[in-house]
Amino acid sequence: MYRRVRSSAQSPLPSRRRRLRSGLQPPAGYPEDDRMCWICLNGDEDQPRRDWLHPCRCRGTNKWVHEVCLSRWIDEKQILAPDIPVTCTQCRTEYIIVMPPLCRFDALLELLDKGYERLCPSVLMGILAATVYFSAVTYGVLTLLELSGLETGMQLLQEDPTLLMILLPSVPALLLLGRMVRWDDSVIHWLRRHNRLGVPADHLDPSGEPLPGAPLDDEYFDQLERDHPGSDGQQGGALATEHLGRASSSFCIALSLPTVAVILGQSLFGRFFEGNKLLGILLGGVTFVATKGLASVYLRQSQYQRKRYRFVMDYTPENVARSRNRNPN
């Protein structure tokens, strides 16, 4: 068995030492000095070598390449995608890469390794999905017990557990989706639409275009905020485009909404809706969302105004001293 594999490995492939000893000679009439490796950009006049190859359909000087340089280049290409064929960057010819044959045991091990690599991501995703699902179920149960009370919540769980196993995991998903409803953006747009400042008339040319050096108008700052929604401490931007800190903040705020709604509902509206506890909790949640949204609108507008009316002072001794007195640190 071993002799047969060894002979099959030697018959179709000449040894590397034999190929390097013979070399690849250029065709008749082709100057040997014109060969240049398109990877290292060295030719025979720089350093004579015997490992020349022309592995693709390219013509001219750039069709030549050193076997060692090409092997390193192929290794770099196959690090990220080992199963994708390697092609020439110019003519898109697929390189004919011949690998020594494997014995049956080695082929079996390679097959098992590839199957293991394909199976493990699916198993990992299944484990993560199961973890997220049971975490969502647990959060839904706790939310149900918090909103309806212990006795009523346990009674609901015992009456129809199948339905609750389907509906309860959707509670955190709905809370997170609710964070993506940016009603405060509409308020910001309404405020800025009724208080816009354009370029002064003396800074416009006869055709109405701003002259060089004209002050920046509100449209510039609005476009800047649209291009960078999460910069400068602004609260705008969807959950998927926020930075890690702002995304974690939105996640915590969304999941803490039921608890905050219960606290505010009992403390603010408990005396008015003693017979309807759920209505008081709903009003507490609305109060929290409205207060936080208005605070976000005020903060964003304040930061917008600061950036809108900022200016840079000349670097003079008086201005330097004034800046140091204003900001000692």
Side-chain angles (χ1 to χ4, degrees):
M1 182 63 153
Y2 176 77
R3 292 181 178 177
R4 185 173 60 185
V5 173
R6 184 178 180 182
S7 62
S8 62
Q10 291 179 352
S11 56
L13 293 173
S15 65
R16 179 180 177 85
R17 183 177 302 176
R18 194 191 320 164
R19 286 187 285 114
L20 293 181
R21 189 184 300 116
S22 60
L24 182 63
Q25 300 297 330
Y30 195 93
E32 186 175 350
D33 294 339
D34 289 343
R35 293 188 297 186
M36 183 179 67
C37 176
W38 61 267
I39 297 179
C40 67
L41 302 180
N42 289 327
D44 285 330
E45 68 277 4
D46 300 322
Q47 184 179 3
R49 298 175 60 164
R50 308 288 296 179
D51 59 337
W52 288 103
L53 293 174
H54 56 88
C56 60
R57 291 194 296 254
C58 290
R59 298 181 179 180
T61 305
N62 290 335
K63 79 174 183 178
W64 299 99
V65 65
H66 297 137
E67 183 182 10
V68 175
C69 298
L70 184 60
S71 297
R72 293 176 178 174
W73 186 79
I74 291 175
D75 290 336
E76 294 178 357
K77 291 293 182 180
Q78 290 184 336
I79 287 177
L80 298 178
D83 297 331
I84 298 179
V86 183
T87 59
C88 175
T89 58
Q90 300 296 328
C91 64
R92 301 301 179 184
T93 302
E94 180 180 347
Y95 291 135
I96 305 175
I97 303 174
V98 182
M99 301 292 292
L102 295 174
C103 65
R104 294 181 179 179
F105 181 72
D106 294 346
L108 178 61
L109 290 180
E110 186 174 358
L111 181 62
L112 292 176
D113 183 67
K114 290 184 178 180
Y116 188 75
E117 290 181 357
R118 294 176 181 177
L119 181 62
C120 285
S122 300
V123 174
L124 179 60
M125 292 301 296
I127 294 175
L128 293 178
T131 303
V132 172
Y133 173 77
F134 286 109
S135 300
V137 171
T138 303
Y139 178 84
V141 171
L142 294 177
T143 304
L144 177 63
L145 296 178
E146 188 177 25
L147 296 179
S148 61
L150 180 60
E151 296 181 359
T152 306
M154 293 301 297
Q155 185 178 0
L156 291 175
L157 291 175
Q158 293 175 1
E159 288 179 356
D160 197 353
T162 305
L163 182 61
L164 293 178
M165 290 293 290
I166 299 175
L167 294 179
L168 290 178
S170 62
V171 173
L174 293 176
L175 291 175
L176 293 176
L177 290 176
R179 282 290 300 164
M180 301 181 66
V181 179
R182 308 299 303 183
W183 63 270
D184 51 343
D185 290 343
S186 302
V187 177
I188 287 288
H189 295 160
W190 181 82
L191 290 175
R192 294 178 184 175
R193 186 169 60 249
H194 291 77
N195 297 278
R196 298 194 64 82
L197 294 177
V199 180
D202 54 345
H203 289 274
L204 298 176
D205 58 9
S207 61
E209 296 295 330
L211 295 172
L216 300 176
D217 57 351
D218 286 345
E219 181 61 29
Y220 167 80
F221 291 98
D222 292 342
Q223 184 65 35
L224 182 64
E225 184 174 335
R226 287 192 295 267
D227 295 338
H228 306 281
S231 61
D232 298 331
Q234 296 173 356
Q235 302 296 323
L239 181 63
T241 60
E242 293 174 339
H243 299 293
L244 179 60
R246 198 160 304 284
S248 60
S249 175
S250 298
F251 184 82
C252 294
I253 291 174
L255 296 185
S256 63
L257 178 60
T259 303
V260 177
V262 170
I263 296 175
L264 293 180
Q266 292 179 354
S267 59
L268 298 179
F269 306 101
R271 295 176 297 177
F272 304 100
F273 303 98
E274 295 181 357
N276 195 346
K277 179 182 177 182
L278 186 59
L279 181 58
I281 294 175
L282 180 61
L283 292 177
V286 172
T287 301
F288 172 73
V289 173
T291 303
K292 185 184 180 304
L294 293 177
S296 175
V297 169
Y298 178 80
L299 177 62
R300 290 177 58 184
Q301 193 67 9
S302 175
Q303 294 173 345
Y304 179 85
Q305 294 295 332
R306 292 187 62 190
K307 180 182 291 187
R308 181 70 178 83
Y309 295 104
R310 70 182 179 187
F311 61 93
V312 181
M313 302 174 65
D314 294 328
Y315 191 82
T316 61
E318 294 80 6
N319 291 336
V320 171
R322 188 180 306 170
S323 175
R324 289 178 179 176
N325 294 331
R326 185 179 305 171
N327 188 11
N329 294 329

